[in-house]
Amino acid sequence: PLSLSSADPSNRSLPITVQKQSNHQIVVRFEPVTLGMHSVSVLFNRISILQTTFQVSAEATDDGRY
């Protein structure tokens, strides 16, 4: 089965939610707890699929959130 994972800059796993949309797309959400580059990967049988990992930068907002 396909699944997703996310990790912070220290490679610690982060909770992730996946929502299926009616238009056959999915929405992926996670809440970073540290600044920096985070990764999101698509997995098949818990193994990362080649070239599906992408990077997301978590930066502080004006109100101090990430």
Side-chain angles (χ1 to χ4, degrees):
L2 287 176
S3 61
L4 294 161
S5 70
S6 64
D8 70 8
S10 298
N11 206 34
R12 290 178 296 220
S13 181
L14 296 169
I16 194 168
T17 60
V18 178
Q19 294 176 312
K20 293 180 183 180
Q21 303 295 301
S22 60
N23 60 0
H24 303 289
Q25 294 182 348
I26 61 169
V27 174
V28 177
R29 292 191 172 115
F30 69 94
E31 188 170 331
V33 293
T34 59
L35 297 176
M37 295 302 288
H38 291 65
S39 63
V40 178
S41 300
V42 179
L43 311 171
F44 180 72
N45 286 337
R46 292 192 240 167
I47 298 171
S48 183
I49 297 173
L50 221 78
Q51 300 180 352
T52 63
T53 300
F54 58 94
Q55 302 293 313
V56 179
S57 179
E59 299 175 357
T61 61
D62 290 339
D63 62 1
R65 295 183 304 150
Y66 300 128

